[in-house]
Amino acid sequence: MGNKALQINPPNANINLSTHGSDWLWAVFSIMAVSLLVAIVANFLRPWGTRLFHQIAIIILTTASISYFAMASDLGATPVRVEFRKHGDSPTRQVWFVRYIQWFITFPLVVLELLLTTGLPLSDVFTAIFMSIVVVVSGLVGSLVPSTYKWGFYVFGVVALFYIWYVLLLHGPRASFAADLRAGYFMCAGWLSFITLLYPISWALSEGGNVIKPTSEMIFYGILDLLAGPLFLCVFLFSLRSVDYAAFSLQSGKYSGTGGEAGAGPVRQTKAAEAGAAAQA
């Protein structure tokens, strides 16, 4: 499939994706798509009102599947002049902005998945989500800058990543947890922190320093996305299997499991309160 994709959508830069790289991306796309189908089935097996974490996983995997379909098809890339050149050459390298669009959606949602299991205030959660956006945007802008100034954006992204690690590993664990969730949180937070530590290394070797070829870049990023996507979500959702969903205080007020009608619960509570007030009057 890689050879056909590159024939239909030829590379637009001197340093570009190879046929083997496209084949690898098709394999990653297949894993993402199958994981998405599994997540959809698992979501429908959950009771109504307890599907939030599964539905966030569906959004993450849908976005990743579309992104990898585009990259495997050699679409969603733009040529950028490399900073480190040899013998006076001025080659261009393919930079896949579609990958950063994927991360712009998926990285904040992965952070949200984890932090919703803690008792952190919403202000702390929103700040961590904002910092995850800073990481992605800094990486995108830095990858598009052909001069040494790209490393300034790299530093911004790494500093924001340090803040996320602080929240996940130090600040988050101080909050309240469901009784049987703390061990699962520590495992998932540690796993995500380790994986996100490798992303800046991959960036420095590929878009930043032009040390490795785009095919090697795709292999590196593809492995990381699989570890931080399908594998992480599988472990995370599995750790929630026996946790009482009410412990998260996330049950929607617009659904009643008894009546099965939207808004039935709040309506009954409102009518009961009105009846009580009338009786006192």
Side-chain angles (χ1 to χ4, degrees), residues 105-126:
I105 298 172
T106 60
F107 189 28
L109 289 178
V110 170
V111 173
L112 179 64
E113 282 264 68
L114 268 177
L115 295 184
L116 282 179
T117 63
T118 71
L120 284 177
L122 287 178
S123 58
D124 291 338
V125 175
F126 289 154

Side-chain angles (χ1 to χ4, degrees), residues 33-274:
V34 171
S35 301
L36 172 60
L37 294 177
V38 172
I40 292 174
V41 172
N43 174 69
F44 283 110
L45 293 177
R46 296 283 302 180
W48 285 102
T50 64
R51 298 179 176 179
L52 174 62
F53 295 106
H54 288 73
Q55 290 175 343
I56 293 177
I58 289 174
I59 297 173
I60 293 171
L61 294 171
T62 299
T63 306
S65 298
I66 296 172
S67 172
Y68 272 91
F69 175 83
M71 290 188 289
S73 304
D74 199 26
L75 299 172
T78 187
V80 177
R81 297 283 179 187
V82 299
E83 177 189 0
F84 301 104
R85 304 162 188 171
K86 298 179 180 179
H87 309 297
D89 294 336
S90 185
T92 57
R93 179 189 178 100
Q94 281 186 299
V95 172
W96 277 266
F97 58 83
V98 69
R99 172 190 288 129
Y100 290 93
I101 296 175
Q102 169 199 335
W103 290 341
F104 184 84
I105 298 172
T106 60
F107 189 28
L109 289 178
V110 170
V111 173
L112 179 64
E113 282 264 68
L114 268 177
L115 295 184
L116 282 179
T117 63
T118 71
L120 284 177
L122 287 178
S123 58
D124 291 338
V125 175
F126 289 154
T127 304
I129 291 174
F130 170 76
M131 288 301 174
S132 66
I133 294 174
V134 171
V135 172
V136 177
V137 173
S138 297
L140 172 60
V141 176
S143 67
L144 297 176
V145 173
S147 69
T148 188
Y149 282 87
K150 68 170 56 187
W151 298 102
F153 293 99
Y154 178 81
V155 172
F156 284 127
V158 171
V159 171
L161 200 53
F162 270 104
Y163 181 85
I164 295 172
W165 292 336
Y166 160 73
V167 173
L168 292 178
L169 300 177
L170 297 178
H171 190 45
R174 297 173 186 166
S176 58
F177 284 87
D180 50 353
L181 186 61
R182 183 174 291 272
Y185 173 85
F186 274 109
M187 177 179 63
C188 293
W191 177 259
L192 183 63
S193 299
F194 173 72
I195 296 302
T196 52
L197 172 65
L198 300 178
Y199 278 95
I201 297 175
S202 180
W203 190 96
L205 293 175
S206 53
E207 296 105 319
N210 192 39
V211 176
I212 60 177
K213 299 293 184 181
T215 296
S216 300
E217 168 194 341
M218 290 302 183
I219 295 174
F220 201 158
Y221 278 135
I223 293 174
L224 294 180
D225 281 348
L226 289 174
L227 295 177
L231 184 58
F232 168 81
L233 293 172
C234 178
V235 174
F236 176 74
L237 294 177
F238 183 78
S239 68
L240 299 179
R241 69 194 187 283
S242 59
V243 177
D244 183 8
Y245 201 84
F248 303 125
S249 300
L250 295 174
Q251 185 138 11
S252 173
K254 295 183 179 297
Y255 177 79
S256 171
T258 55
E261 297 178 357
V267 169
R268 291 194 187 99
Q269 294 173 1
T270 302
K271 289 183 178 180
E274 291 175 352

